[in-house]
Amino acid sequence: MAVNHGNEPWPARIRGPHGEVLGAGLAVDDRHVLTCAHVIAGGDGAADPPAGPVDVDLVGQPGAPTTSARVLPDCWVPPTVDGRGDLALLELATPLPHGPFAPLRRLRSWGRRVVICGYPQTLEQGAYVRARLRGRSGAGRERVQMDSPATGPQVVQGFSGAAVVDEVTGHVVGMVVSTYDDAEGGREAVAVGAPASGLSWMIPVETIVHHLPSLRDRVSGEPSVDLDFLLPDPTPVDPSTARRIADFFGHRLPANVLVMVTVHPGSGAAAAVRRAAVRSSREFRPSGGPAAGPDDDIAAPPIGSIDLAVDAAGRSTGDLSQRIADWSGPAGGAPAGPRPDDAEPPPRALIINNIDAAAEPEKLLTEVVLPLVDQAPARDLRMLLTFRGESVPLRTALLAHRVAALRSTEDAARAAYRVVAPLVADAPPVPARAIRLRVRLTALRAAASQGDASLPGRLADTERTTDRALREAESVRQRLVAMRDHWAELRGRLDAFLAMAVRHGLSEDPGLGPGQRRAHGLFVDGPCDLAAAEAAVREYGEALLGRIEAGRGAA
């Protein structure tokens, strides 16, 4: 269970006019309970809040007091057809005698284990479900998918409005809104009957605060966007810069690290960076409805596509390192190879703004930026790094580090190729670009010492070329490793079938012999075609299992 979960004083149960349990809720202070709009509207998606009150059982309070409550004015967000909203803040007729209240907190959601207490029919005293948070989903990426074990308790009708509690910290990271209705043909539905899939969805705290900004002062944890990005600025957004950023975070620009320079205050580029951070935020993005400004038709990254946006101006390296670690995990030490299922996925995208305006730019680059940059190709981490000026010394140091990383990546890919090429046909060749880029780096350093006016353009071109080379080298390395693993898995499967044939006295069976020899030959007669080997192993295995089954039937 989560920290102290089951003993908190803030869970609530919502009842209808005949005493029936409609769903759950959570007390956010002594006068207000948060729940889903569809819970108190009977699931009919009403545009207006119910005229009458509902009863609220404060099940976590001594004696489980019951009080009536009404929807607070301007705090009714009915569900839309495309799956947005669905929030209601109730005002209690009688204030609660004491707290503490639901500890709403912004936390990165991916991979977390959570526990939920709902009130399904026949279990009105509450039932617990464990789940793991997965990817963002729904219109505007307003919701987060939750997966619970199919063999255990499920999120069903009566869980809507229940707090989603982080197992480790005990913080409330969201509220249950819907589950998956297998019985109705596999559609997303609101609070439906028991599914077999284990799929459900929550509204994360950031989305809750977006729709109900009055709750912001009751939420702990730093937003995913530094507040400096929200400062008003009349500077028009540069459309070409905005489009480039949108393409980068929308995965339409093939790059892991995007370096932008001369992003100084008052520039259209700086305005584009700030706008991208805000428009991608689930909490701070503009609300729907009429156009909010003259730049609404300018490209913006998808909502939720930027995990973290930090502004380095005037801040210490320790402060920035802690900020990134708190939201996205430590800056260094990414493990190589595939993660176990229980591991936290890495951050996917971030902005580090105004690097050269930090209190310690060189230290920030060395201790925070470079370790993240090293992980970018293998993690497919997207990083937008901005500098107010040309910042040639900092960018040259960053480029030198990336060229060295390219050399190491190419060496690792070549080592994998030496293993794979004798085993697998069509092993991809390893590109060799590190040496040429080292030569270009040396030339750039010489140009910097001579004050060459062409240096900024040449440096930018080399940055892009190096990023592309790193992506390609890492892609080849991963492909070679996957080929090696696939070959080993197929060979192991064939060896298991051969051992099975020996146990059943079928190793010399004339009907199985051709298939056995063909499959075996693909592995020993030179580099094999993996697709042909997979088909041959499958066909031999199916034939072998058929013969074994036929022998049992005859017996």
Side-chain angles (χ1 to χ4, degrees):
M1 283 295 168
V3 177
N4 199 41
H5 197 52
N7 299 311
E8 303 95 334
W10 46 259
R13 186 171 51 207
I14 315 297
R15 291 189 180 273
H18 305 293
E20 72 277 17
V21 174
L22 302 177
L26 49 151
V28 295
D29 60 28
D30 65 339
R31 291 300 300 267
H32 301 104
V33 167
L34 178 66
T35 188
C36 293
H38 79 262
V39 167
I40 58 174
D44 59 7
D48 299 318
V54 294
D55 286 336
V56 178
D57 296 338
L58 282 310
V59 293
Q61 297 280 345
T66 298
T67 185
S68 66
R70 293 180 181 270
V71 177
L72 196 67
D74 299 323
C75 291
W76 170 255
V77 187
T80 61
V81 173
D82 62 359
R84 301 173 192 251
D86 204 353
L87 294 155
L89 190 62
L90 307 177
E91 185 172 40
L92 301 174
T94 304
L96 297 178
H98 61 81
F101 304 105
L104 299 170
R105 186 175 179 86
R106 305 174 184 90
L107 288 174
R108 69 188 193 278
S109 57
W110 54 83
R112 288 188 176 274
R113 291 187 180 276
V114 294
V115 62
I116 309 153
C117 181
Y119 306 99
Q121 190 176 11
T122 74
L123 290 173
E124 293 183 0
Q125 297 308 307
Y128 291 93
V129 171
R130 279 190 168 92
R132 182 184 285 278
L133 303 185
R134 297 299 185 185
R136 307 174 182 93
S137 66
R141 298 188 178 187
E142 284 204 349
R143 298 178 179 180
V144 172
Q145 179 179 316
M146 300 188 293
D147 297 350
S148 53
T151 57
Q154 303 285 302
V155 173
V156 295
Q157 186 171 2
F159 275 81
S160 291
V164 179
V165 181
D166 180 60
E167 274 203 347
V168 174
T169 66
H171 290 119
V172 175
V173 298
M175 182 175 68
V176 176
V177 65
S178 62
T179 186
Y180 193 78
D181 184 7
D182 280 338
E184 295 292 334
R187 61 179 175 84
E188 186 178 339
V190 174
V192 296
S197 66
L199 293 180
S200 56
W201 285 266
M202 78 166 189
I203 304 175
V205 165
E206 295 93 335
T207 300
I208 293 171
V209 175
H210 169 74
H211 287 294
L212 299 174
S214 62
L215 292 180
R216 185 164 284 132
D217 61 356
R218 298 169 178 82
V219 175
S220 64
E222 294 290 329
S224 62
V225 175
D226 278 357
L227 298 183
D228 288 344
F229 287 90
L230 303 175
L231 295 175
D233 185 351
T235 306
V237 171
D238 178 57
S240 63
T241 302
R243 190 178 309 111
R244 190 179 179 201
I245 296 171
D247 288 345
F248 177 63
F249 287 114
H251 288 251
R252 294 182 295 274
L253 186 65
N256 285 113
V257 177
L258 179 60
V259 176
M260 295 179 60
V261 296
T262 64
V263 186
H264 51 79
S267 68
V273 172
R274 286 195 301 275
R275 177 179 179 275
V278 173
R279 291 295 179 100
S280 72
S281 167
R282 280 188 295 209
E283 180 172 349
F284 297 116
R285 60 190 167 87
S287 299
D295 65 352
D296 273 11
D297 58 346
I298 298 176
I303 295 170
S305 61
I306 301 173
D307 293 308
L308 181 65
V310 297
D311 195 311
R315 297 171 67 178
S316 70
T317 299
D319 178 29
L320 290 163
S321 179
Q322 188 62 51
R323 174 81 166 100
I324 293 172
D326 285 346
W327 190 266
S328 305
R339 298 183 315 275
D341 183 62
D342 286 351
E344 290 275 350
R348 297 173 178 87
L350 71 157
I351 296 173
I352 304 180
N353 200 33
N354 295 321
I355 292 172
D356 52 340
E360 309 153 301
E362 295 83 3
K363 187 177 181 182
L364 173 63
L365 184 74
T366 302
E367 296 186 4
V368 178
V369 176
L370 292 182
L372 285 167
V373 164
D374 283 344
Q375 301 166 25
R379 286 184 166 192
D380 196 22
L381 166 63
R382 295 192 170 235
M383 299 178 63
L384 171 58
L385 309 177
T386 79
F387 298 84
R388 288 186 176 179
E390 293 291 354
S391 304
V392 170
L394 287 174
R395 291 168 60 204
T396 303
L398 172 60
L399 178 61
H401 190 86
R402 301 207 79 200
V403 171
L406 174 61
R407 179 179 179 182
S408 297
T409 303
E410 290 181 354
D411 287 346
R414 277 189 283 270
Y417 181 85
R418 287 192 291 271
V419 173
V420 173
L423 304 176
V424 179
D426 299 322
V430 179
R433 298 190 176 95
I435 293 176
R436 292 197 299 274
L437 285 166
R438 286 175 65 191
V439 172
R440 289 174 66 172
L441 175 62
T442 300
L444 289 170
R445 284 171 167 160
S449 66
Q450 297 166 6
D452 190 333
S454 68
L455 177 60
R458 292 166 59 193
L459 178 55
D461 181 66
T462 306
E463 287 169 338
R464 290 190 293 270
T465 302
T466 302
D467 185 76
R468 185 167 56 249
L470 266 164
R471 285 173 60 86
E472 292 175 358
E474 176 62 23
S475 176
V476 169
R477 187 196 69 80
Q478 291 184 5
R479 185 179 170 193
L480 288 166
V481 170
M483 283 181 160
R484 179 201 65 196
D485 293 346
H486 193 189
W487 184 94
E489 188 271 331
L490 290 173
R491 182 59 194 262
R493 201 190 309 171
L494 176 61
D495 289 344
F497 285 140
L498 294 174
M500 187 182 299
V502 171
R503 287 198 306 272
H504 290 272
L506 297 172
S507 57
E508 303 297 330
D509 186 282
L512 297 174
Q516 174 185 321
R517 288 189 294 273
R518 179 171 181 272
H520 188 262
L522 286 169
F523 289 97
V524 299
D525 295 339
C528 77
D529 181 312
L530 285 174
E534 182 164 20
V537 170
R538 182 178 63 253
E539 290 169 5
Y540 172 63
E542 289 173 352
L544 173 63
L545 293 173
R547 287 283 290 111
I548 293 172
E549 190 62 30
R552 288 173 178 163

